[in-house]
Amino acid sequence: MSEQGTERRDPVLLEGRALVKRYRQPSERLFRREPETVALNRVSLAVREGESVAIVGESGSGKTTLLKQLLGLETPDAGEVRFAGTPVVPRRGDRMLWLRRNTGIVFQDPYSSLNPRMPVGAIVAEPLGALDLPGDHRALVIEMLERVGLPADTAERYPNEFSGGQRQRIALARALVHGPRLLVGDEPVSALDVLVRQRILAQLTELRQEMGLTLLTVTHDLGIVRQLAERLVVMRRGEIVEAGPIEDVLTRPEHPYTQQLIAAVPTLPRR
Amino acid sequence: MTLSVEQLSVSINDRPVLRDLTFALADGERLGVIGGSGSGKTLTALAVQGLLPRGATVSGRILLDGVDVLALDDAELAKLRGDRVGMVFQEPKTALNPLHRLGRQMTESLHLHYRLSRGQRREAAEELARRVGLDDSARMLRSYPHQVSGGQRQRAAIAAAIAANPTLLIADEPTTALDVTVQQGVLRLFLELSETQGQALLFISHDLAVVAEVAERVIVLDRGELVEEGRIEDILATPRHPVTRALIEAADGRPA
């Protein structure tokens, strides 16, 4: 599938056009050419300002590879990425601060993504320092921690004093402290139990409204997308097999793979 | 009765983590243990195998096939594990040894208990591969864990757990690390195994929808206490505890 039409009129914030990415696999024999895997096969995706898009796929679908190209963390073999109209071209030595200033990322595992030796205040302040932003960093950090629902003394404490859900709130605060336009989540609630997951999803929705964020989330879990996004993109083997408004895709999936994926989500028996 | 846990309380460094836990598992029964993180689910599974961490204070009784697990010494516990109880963990990548072929790992406990010849061991491995649905068994048994998919690894880990025909199989979030389409097959395997082998199953998860696919009865844990217990249909129809209701709500907001 190529371009996806949307009814929204808002300007496009993030766009990938015909992205291709190949990886070399280790060769089975010495001196033989390494076989190649096509991780992304001409994938196009546009995320409009203010919308929330979820990319769903299983392992090996290319969803994380797509994210890396969109964020300028890798260079695609073909195709182009634009953020708010500006081409995203990773170059050696270019930290792309303009793009970092406009984006924040939350990863899956709140245990490995926070440095255990740093107090939370310093962790959350990291982007402010790295981007060399003006202003009272401490005040910004305190305000952000409060916004994600953490107690006032959080800044002085260390990550190990917090539960998984609280750590993910800390990760959220770090991703948002510099006021980005786009928040990217890579399996942001997959490591959390279902009860904590609900609260973090609700928090995300609230922050999105308050801060006018655009949201792009990749996940393997179809169970969370309804709460999180308005538009769903389904990937398999490096290609987008289906995309559209969440309700349409979930209730009338067209592609057999989407149907299979939806049928596989464990649900409670009808009562 | 395969398993009977009576008034089990556990504290670690003077912090109570399980409080007065009482439940039983009949022969061949499939019991789900459900709760959020920190509810004591995993600790319950470890206690049943005598695997509590050092510094844990324990009171109460755990009877497995009539034997009090808490009264056993290390050698007796080692024999109990693999022989009477098989355990499947969340992440088969870490549960399996990366340096050994799958066939060898699947038959490890059998070999420890019965000292098999090479031929017998190969035969046993092939039989196990068939039982857990590992297709292309000749190649699978020769493979190392990193050479096969996550679903295949978990099937191999399940084979290792059931090799010595334990009376109780414990599974702690066994499908959480798997893709949904793979998860379905593994859940079905647990059901099949329980039906064909008659093993009792203790199935732990934070996801009630997953538990509902395999368990006949569930216990709900919250902060180390059993807060609700019953047949899965009854719990779903008339949940009494707020945690149970929250777990149902969390599992309900999904595409049907």
Side-chain angles (χ1 to χ4, degrees):
Chain A
M1 183 177 290
S2 59
E3 289 285 320
Q4 298 120 45
T6 52
E7 286 108 67
R8 298 184 62 124
R9 293 289 169 82
D10 296 319
V12 171
L13 183 62
L14 177 66
E15 186 178 20
R17 272 192 214 155
L19 295 173
V20 176
K21 184 72 185 175
R22 302 183 198 92
Y23 290 117
R24 292 240 164 88
Q25 293 178 325
S27 178
E28 301 237 326
R29 285 168 64 182
L30 201 59
F31 306 125
R32 179 164 293 181
R33 215 185 130 77
E34 303 98 326
E36 271 186 345
T37 318
V38 180
L40 284 183
N41 189 11
R42 295 186 57 82
V43 170
S44 297
L45 174 78
V47 181
R48 289 175 184 275
E49 188 97 53
E51 78 168 333
S52 175
V53 176
I55 303 174
V56 167
E58 299 191 295
S59 34
S61 62
K63 56 188 194 297
T64 302
T65 306
L66 175 58
L67 213 55
K68 284 182 184 162
Q69 319 306 311
L70 291 174
L71 291 170
L73 301 172
E74 279 184 1
T75 312
D77 293 308
E80 67 162 357
V81 176
R82 281 171 184 268
F83 186 94
T86 309
V88 172
V89 186
R91 282 196 195 90
R92 208 179 282 268
D94 179 2
R95 291 161 62 211
M96 288 196 284
L97 292 186
W98 68 273
L99 184 63
R100 305 289 159 248
R101 203 166 295 145
N102 283 306
T103 51
I105 313 180
V106 181
F107 297 100
Q108 174 171 354
D109 189 353
Y111 288 87
S112 60
S113 67
L114 305 178
N115 186 339
R117 290 163 208 277
M118 278 164 74
V120 170
I123 292 175
V124 174
E126 269 178 320
L128 298 173
L131 295 167
D132 204 10
L133 294 179
D136 181 350
H137 290 187
R138 204 184 136 68
L140 285 170
V141 166
I142 301 288
E143 190 201 321
M144 199 60 231
L145 287 170
E146 213 166 275
R147 215 167 208 181
V148 297
L150 289 166
D153 64 340
T154 302
E156 282 78 51
R157 292 159 68 191
Y158 286 82
N160 68 6
E161 298 174 52
F162 296 92
S163 69
Q166 288 171 319
R167 284 179 204 221
Q168 207 57 321
R169 287 176 194 273
I170 294 170
L172 256 178
R174 175 176 59 182
L176 295 174
V177 70
H178 54 292
R181 293 159 80 180
L182 173 73
L183 177 66
V184 174
D186 188 358
E187 302 278 5
V189 298
S190 299
L192 306 174
D193 78 52
V194 285
L195 300 175
V196 181
R197 198 174 284 180
Q198 297 296 309
R199 294 198 285 271
I200 296 289
L201 288 173
Q203 177 81 72
L204 267 171
T205 309
E206 202 184 305
L207 286 168
R208 190 187 148 205
Q209 281 161 1
E210 276 177 22
M211 305 178 69
L213 288 168
T214 304
L215 231 60
L216 178 63
T217 313
V218 301
T219 179
H220 73 286
D221 188 357
L222 260 182
I224 64 164
V225 296
R226 190 174 260 148
Q227 277 157 284
L228 196 67
E230 291 108 48
R231 206 148 60 82
L232 184 62
V233 174
V234 182
M235 288 189 72
R236 185 176 67 156
R237 292 184 206 143
E239 293 183 4
I240 292 179
V241 298
E242 186 158 0
I246 287 260
E247 282 309 312
D248 293 1
V249 178
L250 291 182
T251 53
R252 291 182 301 277
E254 279 171 16
H255 196 280
Y257 177 68
T258 316
Q259 293 166 0
Q260 194 193 339
L261 211 54
I262 291 172
V265 176
T267 45
L268 292 178
R270 287 189 185 283
R271 311 183 285 286
Chain B
M1 193 68 68
T2 297
L3 176 69
S4 171
V5 173
E6 297 166 7
Q7 295 176 306
L8 176 68
S9 292
V10 175
S11 299
I12 295 174
N13 301 327
D14 297 327
R15 204 167 59 90
V17 283
L18 289 180
R19 299 167 217 241
D20 204 18
L21 200 62
T22 297
F23 68 91
L25 187 52
D27 297 343
E29 191 188 18
R30 299 186 300 270
L31 178 71
V33 181
I34 181 147
S37 33
S39 61
K41 310 184 293 283
T42 296
L43 212 69
T44 305
L46 295 177
V48 166
Q49 303 166 80
L51 282 174
L52 286 170
R54 280 179 209 286
T57 331
V58 190
S59 67
R61 287 209 305 175
I62 300 171
L63 298 176
L64 185 65
D65 291 335
V67 177
D68 189 351
V69 173
L70 297 175
L72 299 180
D73 64 28
D74 284 357
E76 289 165 327
L77 279 176
K79 194 169 154 32
L80 178 99
R81 296 192 282 266
D83 194 14
R84 298 274 181 85
V85 198
M87 172 96 188
V88 179
F89 297 90
Q90 173 173 340
E91 185 41 83
K93 220 178 213 164
T94 46
L96 294 170
N97 186 330
L99 300 178
H100 292 163
R101 295 176 199 272
L102 293 180
R104 173 172 169 183
Q105 302 197 54
M106 284 159 57
T107 51
E108 193 83 60
S109 65
L110 264 187
H111 185 58
L112 284 173
H113 284 96
Y114 302 110
R115 289 283 139 205
L116 307 177
S117 72
R118 284 179 71 143
Q120 286 172 316
R121 206 165 165 173
R122 190 180 320 115
E123 258 173 52
E126 269 161 21
E127 167 63 17
L128 280 167
R130 198 184 53 72
R131 266 152 62 185
V132 298
L134 274 178
D135 300 332
D136 192 4
S137 65
R139 186 176 66 87
M140 280 296 152
L141 297 176
R142 271 188 282 113
S143 298
Y144 291 92
H146 74 270
Q147 294 174 316
V148 304
S149 72
Q152 288 161 338
R153 272 198 292 270
Q154 195 59 298
R155 284 177 192 268
I158 293 168
I162 62 166
N165 262 323
T167 50
L168 173 64
L169 182 59
I170 301 178
D172 189 356
E173 304 272 6
T175 60
T176 308
L178 304 178
D179 279 334
V180 278
T181 52
V182 178
Q183 162 169 282
Q184 222 178 14
V186 173
L187 289 177
R188 212 171 286 142
L189 174 62
F190 276 109
L191 270 182
E192 274 167 29
L193 288 175
S194 132
E195 265 149 29
T196 55
Q197 318 219 109
Q199 262 146 3
L201 176 67
L202 193 67
F203 190 98
I204 297 169
S205 176
H206 66 102
D207 189 339
L208 192 52
V210 171
V211 168
E213 301 234 333
V214 287
E216 301 153 297
R217 210 156 55 80
V218 284
I219 59 176
V220 182
L221 300 187
D222 180 42
R223 283 167 279 177
E225 276 179 80
L226 193 154
V227 295
E228 191 154 1
E229 172 174 20
R231 294 182 53 79
I232 190 99
E233 309 88 70
D234 299 340
I235 294 266
L236 292 177
T238 51
R240 291 190 310 274
H241 197 274
V243 168
T244 316
R245 281 191 220 119
L247 288 164
I248 291 175
E249 203 181 308
D252 256 341
R254 297 186 183 160

